[in-house]
Amino acid sequence: MSDEVLFSVNQNGTAAIVLNRPKALNSLTYEMVCQIDEKLKEWKTADNISVVVIKGAGSKGLCAGGDIKTLYEARSSTSALQDAERFFEKEYEVDMAVYQFPKPIIACLDGIVMGGGVGLTYGASHRIVTERTKWSMPEMNIGFFPDVGAAYFLNKAPGYLGRYLGLTASVIHAADVLYMNGSDIYMESDDLARLIQKVEHTNWNHVKVEEKLDQMIEECRTEPSQESKLAPYQKAIDHHFRFDTLEEILQSLESEGSDFSVDVKKRLLSKSPFSLKITLKQLAGGKQKTMEECFATDLMLAKNFLKHHDFFEGVRSVLIDRDQSPNYEYQHVSDVTDEVVNQFFHPSESAR
Ligand code: QUE
């Protein structure tokens, strides 16, 4: 077994999952998600385990997402494409297993938590942010779409904030992660480390686990020192992002002309128009869907993106060549027709 993810179980009833690729910001490989899936299945019913902790190795954070550099290889061979498809299937399976896990899971959202890192931990029962948290669904920067259940969980944010976060790929901090319902608890990073130590040294056998855990967390939790940056813009965000077409959203931002709306419009126009339109439809559709349905749609979309030029071009420009100048197939919003978008919401057999 590789050591890209570490598992431990102690006598007291605490189990830990440590994402252990610190040089790659703990980004998730196929082997990692397979191993995590296996352990969660085992731990779900193991009598000797009461609490699970998920954290990242190293000082940078929990997880930057999927191992995109390996996924990039899917452009060049059929077997790499199959590997990439397998990765998404297993990744989403694990994400769902966390939602459905019957015991407390403490997710340490300390430092970088992006994309697949958000997906892995959104369903955890105790999601703890710190002053170091940098949270984002960054897929719009690489010509992809916010996957890992984002159509489900971005719709749990107030109003149309989820659409704003997904479409702009904004990076947010503790207070805003709490505000958008991506976290339950704030504490200082040092206190989180102490809490986890204490959890690991507590004997969970024959105690009321939830009660005792909540008590321990209450002793550590505080409030973020910085207030939500997005809350003051909630009304503006709702006003501009309530539309179901990208053209209307851009039009609305343009007609207002505030610093905020000018900046948001500029950020949107820097993304792949194709990704923006797919994502808007995905997020709008997610409102009426169950968590499972959202993941099923994500899997179909992810597989379709693996056959799409703009995804590889986005990854190339941001993570491979780092020239930040993607040459997307669809350059303008008006180039992406409704027909093209609608077609992408069906399983495809071919076409790149
Ligand atoms: C968008 C993304 C990712 C990203 C950058 C984006 C992503 C991801 C990584 C990443 C970062 C550092 C690494 C690594 C991967 O960057 O998902 O292996 O060392 O994993 O703009 O979605």
Side-chain angles (χ1 to χ4, degrees), residues 21 23-25 27 64-69 138-139 141-142 318-319:
R21 294 179 75 223
K23 284 180 185 159
L25 293 176
S27 54
D67 179 17
I68 302 290
K69 285 177 188 169
E139 294 83 2
N141 294 331
I142 55 169
V318 169
L319 291 171

Side-chain angles (χ1 to χ4, degrees), residues 26-222:
N26 300 323
S27 54
L28 299 166
T29 66
Y30 177 66
E31 285 70 26
M32 288 163 79
V33 291
C34 282
Q35 290 177 37
I36 297 168
D37 191 50
E38 224 169 87
K39 287 294 173 189
L40 288 180
K41 282 186 176 127
E42 186 187 318
W43 291 352
K44 190 162 64 174
T45 54
D47 290 338
N48 61 324
I49 291 170
S50 302
V51 180
V52 175
V53 175
I54 303 180
K55 55 188 176 181
S59 59
K60 293 266 177 65
L62 177 72
C63 176
D67 179 17
I68 302 290
K69 285 177 188 169
T70 299
L71 289 177
Y72 184 69
E73 289 162 19
R75 80 195 181 288
S76 51
S77 85
T78 313
S79 74
L81 173 62
Q82 284 169 351
D83 289 350
E85 292 187 351
R86 262 191 342 176
F87 169 77
F88 287 122
E89 281 166 14
K90 194 51 94 171
E91 182 188 29
Y92 302 168
E93 197 182 320
V94 173
D95 294 344
M96 284 189 273
V98 170
Y99 281 86
Q100 290 157 346
F101 200 73
K103 303 170 188 180
I105 298 181
I106 305 173
C108 302
L109 311 185
D110 188 27
I112 290 170
V113 187
M114 299 191 180
V118 173
L120 178 63
T121 53
Y122 191 89
S125 59
H126 297 73
R127 303 160 302 176
I128 305 179
V129 286
T130 75
E131 78 284 3
R132 295 179 354 111
T133 302
K134 279 190 208 162
W135 185 108
S136 175
M137 289 305 286
E139 294 83 2
M140 207 53 48
N141 294 331
I142 55 169
F144 196 51
F145 74 108
D147 64 336
V148 294
Y152 179 74
F153 66 73
L154 287 179
N155 277 311
K156 302 281 177 214
Y160 291 97
L161 181 60
R163 286 188 186 184
Y164 165 85
L165 292 171
L167 292 169
T168 62
S170 298
V171 176
I172 60 174
H173 299 92
D176 281 319
V177 185
L178 289 160
Y179 179 68
M180 60 77 64
N181 291 319
S183 166
D184 316 285
I185 303 144
Y186 175 87
M187 64 185 69
E188 301 283 316
S189 185
D190 289 346
D191 289 331
L192 175 57
R194 276 191 281 275
L195 172 71
I196 299 303
Q197 285 255 321
K198 206 168 151 192
V199 165
E200 288 175 345
H201 287 100
T202 297
N203 191 334
W204 297 101
N205 302 309
H206 315 295
V207 299
K208 287 185 175 162
V209 175
E210 314 263 345
E211 253 173 58
K212 189 165 175 128
L213 181 58
D214 285 343
Q215 215 172 30
M216 286 167 69
I217 287 171
E218 279 312 314
E219 288 168 17
C220 298
R221 74 187 297 176
T222 52

